Amino acid sequence: MFFFGIEHEVAFLNNEGKFADFSHTKFTDFSQIIQRLPTYPSDYPQLRVGDAGIKMKRWYIEGFERFADSDEVIDCHVKGIEIRTTIHSNIQGAITELSESFDLLRKVASDFGLSPVLVSFNPYNPAFEPQPPLNNYEIKQLEAYPDEQTANIHMVSYGPDLNISVADFSTEDVIDIGRKLTYYSPYIVPFSYSSPFYNGGLWDGLSVRTFIRTGKRPATLVFVQKEEQLINSTPSLTKIARIPAEVGRIEFKACDSCDDFLIYAALLILLKGLVLDKTLLGRATVPDAALHQLSAKEAFENQSIFENATKVLQAAEVALGNDPDIHYLTPLKVMLANRKTRSHELIEMFHQVSSIEKVISKTYQVNRKDSL
């Protein structure tokens, strides 16, 4: 029995057509949207609320929390709004819920002059530097958690967590899958590429997010129950589950964001196929940064990336056998056949209009319900 969930980060343009990030957007700009969105009591305890109480709903503000010289939260630099689905026993359920939550978010955000745009890396601010500078308490907090020290990357990159878990898998099985997905990540992520913009212009590649992020932050994160099950690595492969529903969860974190949610369906069924597959033997505890950077620059135009992506897709398809969801793989096959990604489309649009804002304002145009 497989279970699926999706966490999807949404970036916005404001009513002046400017990219709404931490440089000129306040916590209250986003919190007024969250306040208007509904709460579903039946979502809990499978959705984590967290200590600060920011994650009370299916939607919450992604950002960098600021503290006084104590554990008191006094502000939050904002990045965007994350949508998370509840746990589903089938992919269709997760995609349908994500689509409905996104449509509701878009509707409420429009009342406040904000519109969602597809962005996987901040197209204007290449790095995040907290202002005012961190105090002593905040510095000590970051030093205690190595992965938190990459907040400068987290705050400028947007992407999904594609969550998959399997009933009755042992901790060893789950960690092995995590290491497998980490190894094959450079060949999986090109199917999602959507970050060709950097520092106000075109980047020399297809996924600046992958180029900068992967290696410093995890490709895959596996949630375990006990301290002794953790594997010491930087970036982390394993993490202690914070609620019982997280135990055994595998989060694939390396993909860019997608504005066609059927690509998430395709990636989830691909991950399911890789869980079932017994032929691919590569394993890695930490992501291969150089290989991810090659993938980010060239994607399927690189012959080695293309051949290995083909091998991964074929292995997953064989392992899935007669799975009723196997048809979700079709868009990935089309991308491979054409050796094109979403980034290629965005680059082409940019050449036509010479404006990042105009390009990203045309994203999320597909009515996903029509395509489900």
Side-chain angles (χ1 to χ4, degrees):
M1 175 71 81
F2 282 78
F3 298 95
F4 306 93
I6 302 168
E7 298 166 55
H8 173 69
E9 294 177 326
V10 183
F12 294 87
L13 289 181
N14 65 22
N15 54 9
E16 297 171 355
K18 301 290 187 194
F19 188 66
D21 69 0
F22 49 83
S23 63
H24 59 272
T25 308
K26 301 298 183 190
F27 183 81
T28 50
D29 295 329
F30 286 150
S31 64
Q32 61 189 353
I33 297 171
I34 301 295
Q35 286 166 17
R36 283 264 303 273
L37 291 162
T39 301
Y40 302 95
S42 60
D43 287 356
Y44 310 94
Q46 57 174 294
L47 294 185
R48 189 175 75 91
V49 173
D51 297 334
I54 289 174
K55 302 181 179 183
M56 291 294 294
K57 302 184 179 184
R58 292 182 183 180
W59 308 261
Y60 66 88
I61 296 168
E62 271 283 359
F64 184 81
E65 294 170 6
R66 299 304 305 269
F67 295 85
D69 266 325
S70 66
D71 59 2
E72 179 195 353
V73 177
I74 55 172
D75 196 8
C76 180
H77 301 306
V78 295
K79 173 173 112 172
I81 291 177
E82 178 160 310
I83 304 169
R84 52 187 177 163
T85 71
T86 53
I87 300 165
H88 293 264
S89 58
N90 59 75
I91 291 171
Q92 180 68 65
I95 298 298
T96 299
E97 185 188 311
L98 177 62
S99 296
E100 291 170 351
S101 290
F102 177 84
D103 289 340
L104 195 51
L105 173 62
R106 170 151 60 183
K107 183 172 181 293
V108 173
S110 69
D111 292 342
F112 297 101
L114 290 159
S115 55
V117 290
L118 175 65
V119 162
S120 293
F121 194 89
N122 190 310
Y124 298 103
N125 282 315
F128 166 72
E129 293 182 13
Q131 295 298 332
L134 300 179
N135 61 41
N136 289 335
Y137 175 84
E138 292 172 319
I139 291 168
K140 285 178 182 173
Q141 286 292 103
L142 291 182
E143 286 172 348
Y145 302 99
D147 287 348
E148 294 299 322
Q149 293 171 32
T150 55
N152 59 317
I153 299 173
H154 160 71
M155 284 294 288
V156 292
S157 63
Y158 301 76
D161 288 345
L162 300 172
N163 302 334
I164 186 168
S165 58
V166 191
D168 302 326
F169 257 34
S170 69
T171 301
E172 291 74 19
D173 290 335
V174 175
I175 290 174
D176 183 63
I177 294 298
R179 296 183 69 242
K180 180 178 186 177
L181 297 181
T182 297
Y183 181 90
Y184 290 102
S185 170
Y187 316 119
I188 298 169
V189 289
F191 292 115
S192 69
Y193 283 169
S194 64
S195 52
F197 304 119
Y198 181 75
N199 206 17
L202 271 182
W203 184 65
D204 181 25
L206 299 163
S207 176
V208 68
R209 177 185 188 270
T210 300
F211 192 90
I212 290 174
R213 176 196 179 281
T214 313
K216 296 183 180 73
R217 290 180 69 87
T220 314
L221 198 57
V222 174
F223 287 89
V224 298
Q225 193 167 11
K226 302 171 185 170
E227 195 86 27
E228 58 266 28
Q229 295 167 332
L230 290 171
I231 292 172
N232 185 25
S233 67
T234 305
S236 301
L237 175 70
T238 52
K239 186 172 184 174
I240 290 284
R242 296 154 297 186
I243 56 174
E246 283 185 339
V247 175
R249 177 180 298 175
I250 302 159
E251 285 189 353
F252 191 70
K253 305 175 76 70
C255 285
D256 280 8
S257 285
C258 298
D259 60 341
D260 177 357
F261 296 156
L262 284 181
I263 302 301
Y264 288 158
L267 290 164
L268 282 170
I269 194 65
L270 176 66
L271 296 180
K272 180 179 178 180
L274 293 177
V275 171
L276 295 169
D277 163 74
K278 304 297 182 195
T279 66
L280 298 173
L281 303 179
R283 300 292 187 273
T285 301
V286 296
D288 185 325
L291 199 51
H292 277 90
Q293 290 186 340
L294 176 66
S295 176
K297 283 278 191 179
E298 302 179 26
F300 303 133
E301 294 162 21
N302 179 281
Q303 191 59 25
S304 175
I305 299 294
F306 172 79
E307 288 174 359
N308 280 289
T310 303
K311 181 178 168 185
V312 164
L313 185 55
Q314 289 173 345
E317 187 171 26
V318 169
L320 287 164
N322 296 321
D323 192 295
D325 287 341
I326 201 166
H327 64 279
Y328 282 135
L329 289 176
T330 300
L332 306 189
K333 294 179 182 178
V334 172
M335 279 189 231
L336 265 184
N338 297 329
R339 301 200 187 200
K340 300 292 184 191
T341 67
R342 182 70 166 120
S343 280
H344 287 89
E345 298 173 4
L346 298 173
I347 292 166
E348 189 176 328
M349 291 164 68
F350 181 80
H351 286 316
Q352 292 169 2
V353 298
S354 301
S355 161
I356 293 174
E357 289 98 335
K358 285 181 181 176
V359 171
I360 61 177
S361 69
K362 298 295 184 188
T363 56
Y364 287 116
Q365 295 297 304
V366 178
N367 187 330
R368 290 159 318 285
K369 285 183 178 174
D370 290 345
S371 60
L372 292 174

